[in-house]
Amino acid sequence: MYRIHAGTDGALNLEGEIDASCSEEAGSRLLAAATQTDPCVDLTNLRFADVAAIRAIAAAVHLIALRAGSIELRGASPTFRKTWELLQLDRAAAARMN
Amino acid sequence: MLSQIPVTNGDSRFVHEALLYSGIDDFVVRVGAFVADSIEANEPILVAVSNLKRELLCEALGEVPDFVQFADMAELGRNPGRIIPAWRRFADENVARGTRFRGVGEPIWPERTADELIECVRHESLLNLAFEGSPAWWLICPYDIKLLSPTVVEEAFRTHPSVLDGDSRSTSASYQGLAAIDAPFDVPLAEPVGNVTTMIIDRLEQLEALRRMVDMHSTRFGVDRSRTADLTLAVNEVATNSLRYAGGPSTIRTWNSHTAIVFEVSDDGRIDDALIGRRIPSVDRESGFGLWLVHQLCDLVQVRTYETGTVVRLQMTRA
């Protein structure tokens, strides 16, 4: 349903669809996978994320940012961005959304 | 010259009044007087009306101070379920400053569909519940008795504790009261017409198939990619809540009218919180995001709790 893998440019690619059946697991796996300094999570091929998934991603990137100093999110869909802002995660999670 | 309307004499509670007016000129005179009085009293005010009415008010009032804010009700109130959170934001800002404040909200206009009108009336009722016990502020809701049907105007008397008509204020004898407003909302929903597609799910693993169905029907109806993605998320959220809290099965139906595609999620659970989806969830909460987000994403949300269970309908127009 979803997968996390390192891209050729060092970014972590989060791909597929994440809903209530796997959102907690996806957040934990993202947190475990982000080991590099100045990490970047690429969401270009994340076709769907529900509210629980977006909150799990926010919680994970917040912890990654605390550990690594900063984190970049890129390639998010318009619906992901809108939900991120509506849930005020742009204020709560220390991530740069590009 | 703007005519005067009665002032509340420093009421210490939330005052929610319907203001009956007759035609656009009367609107400008009477609502303009309310705004002018707010300016005179140095009380911040948010005026949520159509852009046309905003322009006419500004023309009549001349230069207004910064504490007079306007919102386009056609956008803010497209889904009436979004209006209470907007008032809440405005109220919280002013309560934090320790100032009294006012509002003008006109969510009902003649072009509203029958479904929208019911949700607007529900919104007007819920305002009383949402701000019960809040610090004092004064909200008037203009109703155009020249253009609206008598039935709609009658509802204004049921949803507002008092009514301003002409130069007088009267307590509404037919105001329904907080107990009735807080009771499960069980107004019947119209049966769908035309083709109806049904899907029944009882496991979270079936949500992916549901999303395919939403995407297909929404795209076929002509909703663009961005709004189809919003609708897919919204239906997914309601179905997820249904499976989580009612335990399944959840029945999903879809059909379309001339103007909107409808998705309905029903189950045998109950929603007892009248204000569900109309409170702004704080970031640190673990729940309460689903229906609130759904209200932000969809053009209309209809929530009903019957003896037999709960029905949530989501509507999205083509644009």
Side-chain angles (χ1 to χ4, degrees):
Chain A
M1 203 169 181
Y2 75 94
R3 69 180 192 131
I4 301 172
H5 69 94
T8 51
D9 62 352
L12 275 177
N13 294 320
L14 188 50
E15 300 179 349
E17 302 191 20
I18 309 174
D19 61 22
S21 66
C22 58
S23 56
E24 280 186 29
E25 177 204 86
S28 302
R29 285 187 55 198
L30 180 61
L31 183 59
T35 53
Q36 68 272 56
T37 55
D38 198 18
C40 172
V41 177
D42 192 318
L43 304 171
T44 304
N45 294 312
L46 184 64
R47 292 191 304 276
F48 179 82
D50 72 357
V51 170
I54 292 174
R55 282 172 52 80
I57 291 168
V61 301
H62 185 69
L63 291 173
I64 295 165
L66 288 177
R67 192 169 66 198
S70 68
I71 184 168
E72 179 188 357
L73 289 178
R74 73 183 185 204
S77 70
T79 296
F80 187 106
R81 285 173 189 271
K82 186 189 292 184
T83 306
W84 186 269
E85 286 167 17
L86 285 168
L87 298 179
Q88 300 180 59
L89 297 172
D90 50 335
R91 296 183 209 170
R96 302 188 308 278
M97 178 83 79
N98 294 317
Chain B
M1 177 67 185
L2 299 168
S3 78
Q4 290 301 303
I5 59 174
V7 181
T8 55
N9 298 323
D11 211 315
S12 60
R13 61 198 166 83
F14 169 55
V15 175
H16 181 212
E17 294 184 310
L19 183 150
L20 308 185
Y21 69 94
S22 182
I24 191 75
D25 292 342
D26 195 32
F27 172 91
V28 174
V29 168
R30 295 168 56 67
V31 175
F34 183 75
V35 179
D37 190 60
S38 187
I39 294 170
E40 180 71 21
N42 227 17
E43 293 181 1
I45 182 168
L46 173 60
V47 183
V49 296
S50 71
N51 278 338
L52 171 66
K53 285 176 174 163
R54 167 197 177 152
E55 284 171 21
L56 293 170
L57 280 174
C58 288
E59 209 172 277
L61 290 163
E63 197 172 330
V64 295
D66 290 344
F67 63 73
V68 179
Q69 297 176 42
F70 289 91
D72 177 10
M73 189 54 111
E75 187 182 328
L76 168 66
R78 182 172 185 171
N79 171 3
R82 293 179 204 152
I83 305 172
I84 285 176
W87 286 124
R88 174 59 65 191
R89 276 188 210 98
F90 182 67
D92 287 350
E93 284 168 19
N94 287 289
V95 169
R97 290 193 201 108
T99 52
R100 292 176 68 93
F101 55 98
R102 302 187 192 188
V104 177
E106 187 175 29
I108 298 180
W109 49 85
E111 294 79 13
R112 285 286 203 186
T113 66
D115 284 346
E116 288 173 354
L117 270 178
I118 292 170
E119 298 313 309
C120 285
V121 171
R122 179 63 173 157
H123 153 73
E124 290 277 44
S125 290
L126 289 174
L127 274 166
N128 301 293
L129 196 60
F131 292 99
E132 165 68 6
S134 81
W137 71 286
W138 185 7
L139 173 64
I140 62 164
C141 306
Y143 281 75
D144 190 342
I145 57 172
K146 196 171 176 182
L147 295 178
L148 296 171
S149 78
T151 319
V152 171
V153 178
E154 270 173 38
E155 290 293 342
F157 282 83
R158 294 185 66 242
T159 56
H160 295 78
S162 60
V163 177
L164 292 160
D165 187 5
D167 291 330
S168 67
R169 165 184 290 116
S170 59
T171 300
S172 173
S174 57
Y175 173 58
Q176 58 193 147
L178 290 179
I181 295 167
D182 203 19
F185 190 53
D186 58 1
V187 168
L189 289 161
E191 271 305 300
V193 289
N195 293 333
V196 178
T197 303
T198 302
M199 175 186 267
I200 297 174
I201 61 173
D202 57 12
R203 290 176 292 116
L204 293 174
E205 288 72 20
Q206 294 170 296
L207 290 169
E208 189 173 0
L210 172 62
R211 296 196 291 272
R212 299 286 89 76
M213 174 206 185
V214 177
D215 184 84
M216 183 183 77
H217 283 272
S218 178
T219 304
R220 190 182 289 166
F221 180 66
V223 181
D224 69 29
R225 291 308 306 157
S226 172
R227 285 165 57 79
T228 289
D230 289 353
L231 180 59
T232 303
L233 175 57
V235 177
N236 185 90
E237 284 306 315
V238 176
T240 300
N241 282 349
S242 171
L243 291 174
R244 274 193 171 149
Y245 299 115
S250 306
T251 303
I252 296 97
R253 301 196 298 170
T254 183
W255 65 93
N256 54 263
S257 65
H258 291 301
T259 54
I261 186 161
V262 185
F263 283 88
E264 175 190 271
V265 180
S266 58
D267 57 47
D268 61 6
R270 287 181 63 83
I271 292 179
D272 292 322
D273 178 3
L275 288 167
I276 191 166
R278 296 175 202 246
R279 296 186 191 88
I280 304 167
S282 63
V283 185
D284 52 357
R285 280 188 58 175
E286 287 301 314
S287 60
F289 300 95
L291 260 181
W292 181 81
L293 185 76
V294 165
H295 271 294
Q296 312 311 308
L297 297 175
C298 295
D299 292 334
L300 195 68
V301 179
Q302 300 161 282
V303 179
R304 302 289 186 274
T305 294
Y306 304 114
E307 287 295 321
T308 51
T310 293
V311 180
V312 179
R313 283 186 186 175
L314 313 180
Q315 295 193 21
M316 198 71 118
T317 57
R318 287 191 178 90

